[in-house]
Amino acid sequence: MIDQTKQVTLIEGDGIGPEIAAATVAAVAAAGGQVEWERVPAGLAAVEARGTPLPEETLTSIEKNRVALKGPLGTPVGEGFRSVNVGLRQHFDLYANVRPAKTLPGVPSRFTDVDMVIVRENTEGLYSGVEHFIGKRNAAESIAIITREGSERIIRYAFEYASRHARHKVTLVHKANILKMVGGLFLEVGREVAAEYPGIEFNDMIVDATAMRMVIDPQTFDVIVTTNLFGDILSDLAAGLIGGLGVACSANLGTGGCAIFEAVHGTAPDIAGQGIANPTALMLSAVLLLEYLDQDAAANRLRRGIMAALADPEQRMRDLGGTADTATFTRAVIRQMAD
Ligand code: ATP
C-alpha cells in the first residue's frame, strides 16, 4: 500500500467531545485511514489551558494541515468571548456547509429511503451581520447580502459535488418571487452555472414549497443548494428526516482548500463523562474527511462498519433506544470492518 499519510488537525472539543473523538480516532485507524492526528485545543478546554477559546496554535495547525476534524465546542459565557465556530468560519472563509442526510439502518425515523445532501451558503445572505435598530428600538433592520461571486462559488461547489459523487440532480432553493433581487440574483447565477453542467438535472423551488415537499416526499431530493438562512433551517429539517441531530454529520469547506469536518450536535453536557455518548455523527464526519482526502477504501470500510453496527439491535446505543455504551458500539464498528 502506498503511504498516503496525511496530517490532520484534531480538536476534541468540550463535553462529550473527547469521548466521541477517541472512538472516532480508533475507528479511523481500524478502517485503514492513513491519518496522523495533530491535537490542538479550542473551546472551553482551551480557555482553561490557554486563556482563550481559539488559540493561535489551533489556527496555525489548521492553516498548515488544511484539514481538521472537530468535536463540539462550548462557547464561554461572558464578555469578550465570541463563538469559536463563528471565529473559524470567518478566519478560513468557510463558505460551504455540506450536510448529507441519508436514512440509517436501526435509527428510528419516519422514512426508509432518504438520501439528500444540503449545500448551504455560509457567509452571506441574512447572516451577513449587517443589522441595526431604528430610533429607540422602534424598528430593526437586517440586510441580506447576496453577491454574484458568493452565489457562483457555492452553486458551482454544489454541481462539482454532484458530479464527484455521482448524483443526478441539483435543486436550487430560493424565494425569488418575493425577494426579487437577493433571491432573483441567486437564481439567475444558478441558471448560468447549471448550463455548464448539462449532465446534471437542474430545477429550482421556492423555499416554502420545498419545506412541505421535504416532509411529504423527501425521496425526490438529491442535492439542494441554497442561501444561508434557508440552508440553516432546511438542513435541520433534513436531519430530522433521518433520526435527528445526534446522527447528522457535516463538512465546512473554505477558500484555499481548507476543510473542517464536524458532528452537528452540541457538547451534550448532561451525559458528558458517562461513556454513553453516541459517536455516530463524528464517525460519519470522519467518513466525509477520508473521502475528501481521496482515501475512498478506508471511507467505504468505515461507513460499512458504522452501518452494520447501527443495524444490529444488540449494539444499539441509549439515545437510539438501546443499552449499548460508547465503548461497546465502537468495538462493534471495528469488528464489523474486520468481517
Ligand atoms: P450545547 O449547549 O453544546 O448545544 P446541548 O445539550 O444544548 O449542548 P446538544 O449537545 O445538541 O445540545 O444535545 C441535545 C440533547 O441531545 C441532549 O440531551 C444530549 O444529551 C443529546 N445528545 C446530543 N448529542 C448526543 C450524542 N452524540 N449521543 C447521545 N446523546 C446526544
Side-chain angles (χ1 to χ4, degrees):
M1 188 167 60
I2 304 164
D3 185 17
Q4 291 186 316
T5 302
K6 176 84 179 75
Q7 199 164 56
V8 174
T9 300
L10 175 64
I11 297 171
E12 293 188 342
D14 300 312
I16 58 171
E19 298 161 60
I20 58 174
T24 302
V25 164
V28 168
Q34 293 181 282
V35 171
E36 189 185 313
W37 302 102
E38 184 170 84
R39 286 162 207 268
V40 290
L44 300 175
V47 172
E48 274 173 33
R50 307 276 193 281
T52 168
L54 191 50
E56 205 50 45
E57 71 183 278
T58 302
L59 293 175
T60 308
S61 169
I62 302 174
E63 249 150 40
K64 173 171 61 82
N65 298 326
R66 312 307 292 167
V67 187
L69 181 69
K70 179 169 93 54
L73 297 175
T75 298
V77 181
E79 295 286 317
F81 290 121
R82 62 175 183 167
S83 152
V84 179
N85 291 324
V86 173
L88 286 171
R89 191 181 311 151
Q90 288 174 347
H91 190 89
F92 293 104
D93 193 23
L94 299 171
Y95 69 90
N97 179 243
V98 183
R99 300 246 303 250
K102 186 169 170 32
T103 304
L104 299 167
V107 177
S109 68
R110 289 169 200 271
F111 297 96
T112 52
D113 48 2
V114 175
D115 184 7
M116 69 177 84
V117 179
I118 305 216
V119 177
R120 163 189 170 192
E121 204 293 321
N122 219 13
T123 59
E124 300 194 332
L126 207 49
Y127 292 1
S128 302
V130 187
E131 55 177 1
H132 56 259
F133 286 111
I134 298 168
K136 286 191 176 160
R137 300 175 81 93
N138 292 329
E141 197 170 55
S142 185
I143 298 180
I145 296 174
I146 293 290
T147 66
R148 181 169 283 280
E149 192 188 348
S151 303
E152 189 181 331
R153 71 177 175 176
I154 193 72
I155 296 163
R156 193 172 293 288
Y157 178 84
F159 276 94
E160 288 295 322
Y161 181 97
S163 10
R164 261 200 327 276
H165 292 83
R167 290 185 171 266
H168 67 277
K169 184 167 82 178
V170 172
T171 302
L172 182 147
V173 175
H174 61 89
K175 186 76 183 174
N177 53 335
I178 305 293
L179 304 171
K180 296 204 186 288
M181 294 183 192
V182 291
L185 178 59
F186 191 71
L187 178 57
E188 180 183 309
V189 175
R191 289 184 173 138
E192 286 166 15
V193 174
E196 296 175 36
Y197 295 86
I200 297 172
E201 192 186 326
F202 173 71
N203 67 343
D204 70 272
M205 208 179 262
I206 308 274
V207 64
D208 38 0
T210 307
M212 186 183 71
R213 178 58 74 87
M214 276 175 72
V215 295
I216 291 180
D217 209 7
Q219 300 85 352
T220 56
F221 292 99
D222 194 355
V223 175
I224 289 177
V225 62
T226 188
T227 47
N228 212 335
L229 172 65
F230 300 155
D232 191 7
I233 298 166
L234 293 182
S235 54
D236 271 23
L237 196 163
L241 296 173
I242 59 150
L245 293 179
V247 292
C249 58
S250 76
N252 297 284
L253 288 313
T255 47
C258 180
I260 301 181
F261 298 83
E262 64 183 335
V264 168
H265 61 70
T267 58
D270 53 336
I271 57 163
Q274 296 176 29
I276 55 170
N278 190 341
T280 299
L282 196 63
M283 285 185 183
L284 287 172
S285 304
V287 170
L288 301 180
L289 183 149
L290 290 169
E291 281 174 351
Y292 183 80
L293 296 177
D294 288 328
Q295 298 189 18
D296 287 349
N300 291 337
R301 213 171 296 130
L302 180 54
R303 186 186 284 107
R304 270 203 317 274
I306 298 167
M307 296 302 165
L310 285 172
D312 180 355
E314 297 279 307
Q315 317 298 340
R316 190 150 301 155
M317 296 207 55
R318 288 166 201 238
D319 60 312
L320 301 178
T323 56
D325 57 18
T326 315
T328 310
F329 179 77
T330 306
R331 275 197 301 275
V333 171
I334 292 171
R335 200 171 48 243
Q336 292 288 353
M337 287 192 278
D339 287 350

